[in-house]
Amino acid sequence: MIKLEFLSLSKNESFARAAAAAFIAPLDPTIEELADVRTAVSEAVTNAVIHGYRNGLGNVMMELTLKGRLFTVRVEDKGCGIEDIELAMKPFYTTGNRSERSGMGFAVMAAFMDKLKVESKLGSGTTVIMEKLIAKPLESEQNE
Amino acid sequence: MQITFKKRGSTLTALLEGELDQHCASELRSAIDTAVRSEGNIEILLLDLGRVSFMDSSGIGVILGRYKLMRKLGGELAIANAQPQVEKLLKLSGVYALLDAKRREKASE
């Protein structure tokens, strides 16, 4: 398991997704699996930065775990929390500037990972837990 | 993220290069809007995503915002050369459906 803690700066989004990609690299994931994980992690960290801390400063905690080929990532902030999780997870829903934000963050996480769980308490923060099974490469691919 | 503009007739092409996330979204947004407005008489804004190696939903936000800008100006937005990861995201978020619907709307006029 690897634990990372970094400031809620938007430039750290690329660091977070690169770290997650490096973490699963030993499993020899496909290009698509790698892209799915990078995208989902980027969404979760972006949410912590712009919604959790509302572009203010705080710490984002990221925990990466592997159990066999099951990858789990936990992204936690101690920011403002989500009032209505069900509403926040609806595609196209956003509390941000409607003309410039897609409201697709949670929908992307749900579509690109196998499991998505969101825990949040108003005023205390939000934790996003995502899982993805990284498929075993086919033997023919391994022999190449 | 790097951006290069090319104008041919009334089409302005923005060639994007690098990773498109929330960190560069606002800079990108204002660079494109400034170019569109300062060139004037742009009928088609073409976002060439061929060199975008990564994009998340912040990029979708940028695209939807430019789509609205072009509609407001009476023009059109088009997207080209998306890589598979970006393509998957564009399909999921309904951006292609939106652009196709606009095209159909225009064809039936």
Side-chain angles (χ1 to χ4, degrees):
Chain A
M1 189 231 270
I2 286 184
K3 280 186 182 183
L4 299 161
E5 194 166 335
F6 48 88
L7 277 175
S8 57
L9 297 169
S10 65
K11 66 176 180 186
N12 288 335
E13 291 156 11
S14 62
F15 162 76
R17 58 181 182 258
F23 186 75
I24 60 164
L27 297 181
D28 200 9
T30 61
I31 293 169
E32 186 173 10
E33 286 168 338
L34 210 51
D36 288 351
V37 166
R38 292 178 75 213
T39 311
V41 166
S42 196
E43 300 292 352
V45 174
T46 300
N47 273 357
V49 171
I50 61 173
H51 298 300
Y53 293 112
R54 292 180 176 158
N55 290 315
L57 271 191
N59 284 342
V60 181
M61 283 66 69
M62 187 165 89
E63 209 177 276
L64 306 164
T65 321
L66 271 182
K67 268 187 197 156
R69 303 192 69 87
L70 182 67
F71 167 66
T72 306
V73 53
R74 194 169 177 276
V75 177
E76 184 184 351
D77 70 66
K78 299 285 180 198
C80 65
I82 303 169
E83 197 172 350
D84 185 340
I85 296 180
E86 213 178 308
L87 181 65
M89 289 179 79
K90 277 192 178 164
F92 307 112
Y93 175 81
T94 181
T95 53
N97 176 352
R98 276 194 62 83
S99 62
E100 295 295 345
R101 298 225 56 85
S102 69
M104 288 298 290
F106 281 127
V108 170
M109 290 182 236
F112 287 16
M113 301 292 277
D114 298 336
K115 262 191 198 170
L116 165 69
K117 194 175 159 194
V118 184
E119 294 165 353
S120 190
K121 205 178 161 199
L122 217 53
S124 311
T126 301
T127 302
V128 172
I129 302 157
M130 298 182 283
E131 282 180 12
K132 191 177 182 72
L133 191 67
I134 308 298
K136 206 172 171 183
L138 298 171
E139 268 180 43
S140 57
E141 288 173 2
Q142 281 176 325
N143 294 339
E144 272 171 18
Chain B
M1 164 122 293
Q2 280 192 325
I3 177 163
T4 315
F5 293 101
K6 272 182 198 159
K7 193 186 168 198
R8 198 170 175 184
S10 59
T11 300
L12 180 69
T13 302
L15 179 69
L16 312 184
E17 195 170 347
E19 302 200 339
L20 204 179
D21 63 6
Q22 192 251 332
H23 182 59
C24 65
S26 72
E27 204 178 311
L28 181 62
R29 189 181 290 150
S30 61
I32 296 175
D33 291 4
T34 304
V36 168
R37 291 182 192 279
S38 66
E39 288 289 349
N41 298 322
I42 299 298
E43 283 171 21
I44 299 170
L45 169 64
L46 175 67
L47 300 179
D48 187 334
L49 306 178
R51 291 179 187 169
V52 173
S53 55
F54 173 86
M55 188 173 101
D56 62 19
S57 71
S58 303
I60 299 296
V62 172
I63 292 171
L64 292 178
R66 303 316 42 85
Y67 168 76
K68 286 173 188 164
L69 171 75
M70 290 312 293
R71 278 197 85 151
K72 205 169 119 189
L73 298 174
E76 262 185 73
L77 176 78
I79 292 170
N81 302 326
Q83 301 292 314
Q85 181 262 342
V86 176
E87 183 92 357
K88 192 174 170 181
L89 190 69
L90 291 170
K91 281 184 184 158
L92 173 77
S93 58
V95 166
Y96 278 148
L98 186 73
L99 298 184
D100 283 350
K102 176 75 187 159
R103 210 162 290 149
R104 273 198 298 272
E105 200 180 292
K106 248 194 130 78
S108 67
E109 271 168 15

